[in-house]
Amino acid sequence: MPTRRELANAIRALSMDAVQKANSGHPGAPMGMADIAEVLWNDYMQHNPANPSWPDRDRFVMSNGHGSMLVYSLLHLSGYDLPMDEIKQFRQLHSKTPGHPEYGYTAGVETTTGPLGQGISNAVGMALAEKMMAAHFNQPGHDIVDHNTYAFLGDGCMMEGISHETCALAGTLGLGKLVAFWDDNGISIDGEVEGWFTDDTPARFEAYGWHVVRGVDGHDANAVKAAIEEARQNSDKPSLICCKTVIGFGSPNKCGKEECHGAALGDDEVALTRKELGWEHGPFEIPGDIYEGWSAKDKGAKAETEWKERFAAYKAAHPELAAEFERRIAGHLPADWSEKANAYIKQTIEKAEKVASRKASQNAIAGMAPAVPELLGGSADLAGSNLTMYGGSKGVTRDDAAGNYVFYGVREFGMAAIMNGIALHGGFIPYGGTFLIFSDYARNGIRMSALMKQRVMYVLTHDSIGLGEDGPTHQPIEQTPSLRLIPNLNVWRPCDAVETAVAWKAGIERTDGPSAFILSRQGLPHMERDGEQLANIARGGYVLKDCDGTPDLIFIATGSEIELAVQAADVLSGEGKKVRVVSMPCVELFDQQDPAYREAVLPKAVRARVAIEAGATTTWHKFTGLDGAVFGLDRFGESAPGGALLDYFGFKPENVAQVARDVMNG
């Protein structure tokens, strides 16, 4: 049987060989953390290479994702569907071994990491989801949800501010099944971190309420094992294991230096490292006994079989709960979901009330949440303004995780990353709220939702200068168009309560990416529609108000500016002009429609077009063309009541009508 060090050296060899072949990558972290990974994966990780999606598996997150060859080595060696040919294609086009681990590319990769700090934050979300699922489903004598979340992170993750946001919340919520390993090697890209990173990191995490194991020799398997045992015994706190390591361990000339952080070692140094490690095998060559020492196939199959037996007993004792668990883990909505959601939309139409879309959003949550028990709300300390809570909301606490609402505190970025982890874990559909202006803080987390195609919903309120007195620091100008630049993010800006309800239904039903709801503070009037118009809301854009024959002009608008477009259309109609008003609550969905539908809504023959939105004009030129105009705002706002600001910046029917006249007159 190979020694622990020999098993760990297989990681080092694969990592330096793959990086060398690609002439690109980060060999230092995998070589430095190999001993830690060997102990964790061989002695503690509960996983089954034959079924990477087994519900009660442990989750492993490589937050320092630049060290991706560590993950790929672990997956390959332990028996996942990641053959050596893929290891040899590290960082190449369409390989299963991209430069940073990507969710959906590689069996066994739990989340996309690379933007530092987000991986540990995803891990917080996974651990939170585990705790909540256990509270929702476990019954006396039946612990069907009982797994750990393990995360590796480096100095870069510690320096990123998001690690403070999320790890502080993890301590508050007592996520005792989260164990993080800090690779304390003292090196980042610019060199020795003591020049810019001198935090007392263990004390910082102790202050968060974590259990901290200090000063562990990351190259001593027995010390690592003892630290993990200690961490696992502290079930009421998350644990941080502080591992002192040497980056690039085994490299005679580059270990402990920034030279091995983000570059191949070089052929000569690779050869010297092989000799230093006693690894007498060629590139990408792994002896059979090493594979046998690493294989998790039998152990993993046994662990999953035992869980299935426990679940069968649970199902016999609690059949309804078991069926609900299976449905939620599969990501399926309840059988009667569509019927109930449509009934709520019908009620909204019948009410025909003037209401702020943030309030309409709250009403939609209250109307739809009872039909979707996996809906998990939250807000970054703005629940009373975002209106993300409703009568059925119950907060999740350290001592009671059976709720359906997370108080994230003033942690916009952390909220986004935690929600990604929750969605990746499975069992919940998370939504979280903040002001639209603060989506800038959360932006990279939102981007990662889109990149990983996760069903996460962002409630972004106070959507324009109409929010008023808080002034330009809080008045979004460029945020909505900038969110529309993120691929695979559906950005909804509804014009009334009906469009808001349809947006919520679409967001809940979407399984291939996130949705953002851009919502108003001010009241928006109900718009009358027929059945066809109602159905077409879900297509992202539709004709809300039409004229006889070919239009002389088309208004395109969203949100609160739909009322303005309708009023301006009435002015022009009184002058004998034929005007169409197109509501476009979701540009992304409209762009996905077939050419015939898009032509029916925006006929190419009608070149006189005016788009109206109280924000930056960038999005709309592709719809208006060179012959049209965009009525928006390409400067920062002012501090004054909302109505006064809208008047000051010219958002009046007559002003819009005049722009339209100018467009029609060429």
Side-chain angles (χ1 to χ4, degrees):
M1 179 67 183
T3 65
R4 283 197 181 276
R5 178 55 55 82
E6 288 170 333
L7 293 173
N9 284 346
I11 295 174
R12 296 185 171 102
L14 284 177
S15 297
M16 66 182 183
D17 287 344
V19 172
Q20 189 62 38
K21 186 174 187 295
N23 196 28
S24 174
H26 299 73
M31 296 173 73
M33 298 195 79
D35 297 301
I36 306 166
E38 187 277 322
V39 174
L40 176 64
W41 276 61
N42 282 326
D43 290 8
Y44 294 99
M45 277 284 291
Q46 293 293 306
H47 62 112
N48 184 5
N51 183 11
S53 60
W54 164 36
D56 205 38
R57 69 193 181 279
D58 288 342
R59 270 59 167 184
F60 176 76
V61 174
M62 184 86 183
S63 189
N64 44 345
H66 54 273
S68 57
M69 268 310 304
L70 175 59
V71 179
Y72 302 144
S73 298
L74 290 167
L75 295 172
H76 170 76
L77 291 167
S78 61
Y80 283 78
D81 182 19
L82 191 65
M84 187 64 83
D85 285 347
E86 293 290 347
I87 301 293
K88 293 178 180 179
Q89 290 300 305
F90 178 58
R91 288 189 164 223
Q92 305 309 302
L93 184 64
H94 300 318
S95 76
K96 292 182 180 179
T97 50
H100 292 84
E102 292 190 40
Y103 177 79
Y105 271 65
T106 316
V109 169
E110 299 283 4
T111 181
T112 300
T113 55
L116 294 177
Q118 287 199 64
I120 180 62
S121 303
N122 294 163
V124 170
M126 293 174 185
L128 177 56
E130 190 275 344
K131 183 169 184 172
M132 289 187 294
M133 286 292 283
H136 284 211
F137 288 99
N138 287 354
Q139 297 295 313
H142 297 281
D143 289 341
I144 60 162
V145 181
D146 184 14
H147 54 267
N148 296 291
T149 301
Y150 298 106
F152 282 7
L153 65 159
D155 292 328
C157 294
M158 290 297 192
M159 284 185 265
E160 288 286 358
I162 189 175
S163 69
H164 161 71
E165 295 185 26
T166 55
C167 291
L169 186 59
T172 297
L173 293 177
L175 304 182
K177 291 184 179 177
L178 171 63
V179 180
F181 298 78
W182 171 33
D183 183 25
D184 181 14
N185 61 39
I187 296 292
S188 66
I189 291 176
D190 283 350
E192 297 180 4
V193 300
E194 63 184 14
W196 49 88
F197 180 49
T198 58
D199 306 13
D200 187 344
T201 299
R204 168 187 158 194
F205 274 74
E206 287 170 345
Y208 294 156
W210 285 53
H211 172 73
V212 177
V213 186
R214 296 172 178 249
V216 177
D217 182 348
H219 302 298
D220 182 338
N222 291 329
V224 172
K225 187 176 178 68
I228 297 174
E229 287 290 338
E230 182 179 334
R232 285 165 59 93
Q233 290 171 10
N234 284 270
S235 60
D236 61 335
K237 295 180 179 181
S239 291
L240 177 70
I241 300 176
C242 305
C243 300
K244 292 295 294 184
T245 66
V246 177
I247 191 171
F249 181 94
S251 170
N253 299 306
K254 296 186 177 181
C255 72
K257 301 176 182 178
E258 67 271 17
E259 294 173 65
C260 67
H261 183 286
L265 296 179
D267 289 331
D268 292 343
E269 188 68 14
V270 167
L272 290 173
T273 304
R274 275 189 154 73
K275 184 176 180 181
E276 179 74 15
L277 295 174
W279 188 261
E280 299 174 353
H281 314 288
F284 303 104
E285 182 182 330
I286 304 294
D289 63 338
I290 296 292
Y291 276 124
E292 289 177 16
W294 268 106
S295 178
K297 291 180 179 179
D298 292 343
K299 185 170 62 175
K302 182 175 182 290
E304 183 178 359
T305 297
E306 290 174 351
W307 178 82
K308 285 181 175 178
E309 291 172 354
R310 296 198 306 273
F311 187 77
Y314 174 80
K315 194 169 187 176
H318 305 282
E320 292 183 3
L321 276 175
E324 178 71 358
F325 177 85
E326 290 175 317
R327 179 190 70 76
R328 285 171 57 168
I329 287 295
H332 299 151
L333 293 172
D336 60 355
W337 152 252
S338 186
E339 177 187 349
K340 289 183 176 179
N342 289 334
Y344 173 75
I345 292 171
K346 182 180 178 182
Q347 292 172 9
T348 304
I349 294 169
E350 291 170 352
K351 284 185 179 179
E353 62 181 338
K354 179 176 182 177
V355 62
S357 53
R358 63 168 175 161
K359 178 61 179 175
S361 170
Q362 183 185 47
N363 293 342
I365 296 169
M368 297 182 183
V372 196
E374 61 266 43
L375 199 61
L376 177 66
S379 180
D381 204 52
L382 288 169
S385 294
N386 299 148
L387 303 184
T388 44
M389 296 187 76
Y390 71 106
S393 294
K394 177 187 175 184
V396 174
T397 69
R398 180 189 195 92
D399 299 321
D400 183 1
N404 60 4
Y405 193 89
V406 180
F407 292 94
Y408 288 101
V410 186
R411 302 179 176 104
E412 295 86 2
F413 191 5
M415 176 178 70
I418 288 172
M419 288 198 297
N420 285 337
I422 291 169
L424 287 160
H425 178 278
F428 294 99
I429 301 174
Y431 70 89
T434 186
F435 288 166
L436 173 58
I437 193 73
F438 300 136
S439 65
D440 286 344
Y441 285 157
R443 185 179 179 84
N444 203 261
I446 298 173
R447 183 179 188 269
M448 296 304 292
S449 301
L451 182 63
M452 294 190 286
K453 301 179 180 179
Q454 292 304 297
R455 180 158 48 180
V456 177
M457 292 176 289
Y458 295 92
V459 179
L460 305 173
T461 68
H462 297 60
D463 68 343
S464 73
I465 56 171
L467 77 87
E469 295 88 342
D470 280 338
T473 61
H474 284 54
Q475 291 165 4
I477 301 298
E478 75 279 15
Q479 280 67 32
T480 299
S482 79
L483 287 170
R484 291 185 180 124
L485 294 175
I486 298 177
N488 198 41
L489 173 65
N490 283 354
V491 180
W492 287 86
R493 189 167 185 252
C495 76
D496 66 358
V498 175
E499 285 191 358
T500 304
V502 171
W504 265 101
K505 181 174 184 287
I508 290 171
E509 291 177 349
R510 189 180 185 206
T511 59
D512 62 353
S515 302
F517 307 134
I518 313 300
L519 306 172
S520 74
R521 181 189 186 189
Q522 69 270 36
L524 307 180
H526 172 75
M527 295 292 164
E528 293 294 334
R529 302 173 182 82
D530 60 25
E532 182 180 0
Q533 290 170 315
L534 175 64
N536 286 338
I537 294 173
R539 304 184 79 166
Y542 64 103
V543 178
L544 176 66
K545 179 182 174 65
D546 211 358
C547 57
D548 294 330
T550 302
D552 298 315
L553 175 97
I554 299 176
F555 282 127
I556 310 166
T558 74
S560 52
E561 285 69 67
I562 281 290
E563 180 182 17
L564 187 58
V566 169
Q567 291 170 343
D570 289 341
V571 171
L572 295 171
S573 297
E575 299 171 1
K577 300 297 183 183
K578 293 186 288 186
V579 182
R580 170 179 290 182
V581 176
V582 169
S583 177
M584 197 171 290
C586 185
V587 172
E588 297 75 26
L589 284 175
F590 182 76
D591 284 342
Q592 294 170 21
Q593 302 307 307
D594 61 84
Y597 179 77
R598 285 184 278 124
E599 170 66 18
V601 175
L602 296 174
K604 293 183 179 68
V606 183
R607 301 173 67 87
R609 303 177 183 181
V610 176
I612 316 167
E613 189 171 63
T617 59
T618 309
T619 301
W620 298 108
H621 295 289
K622 70 175 182 179
F623 293 115
T624 61
L626 296 176
D627 296 325
V630 182
F631 196 97
L633 192 65
D634 288 314
R635 56 150 290 183
F636 294 121
E638 300 280 353
S639 182
L645 287 174
L646 291 168
D647 287 345
Y648 176 75
F649 286 111
F651 285 87
K652 301 177 181 180
E654 182 52 44
N655 292 343
V656 174
Q658 185 55 51
V659 170
R661 294 185 194 103
D662 294 342
V663 167
M664 286 186 286
N665 293 332

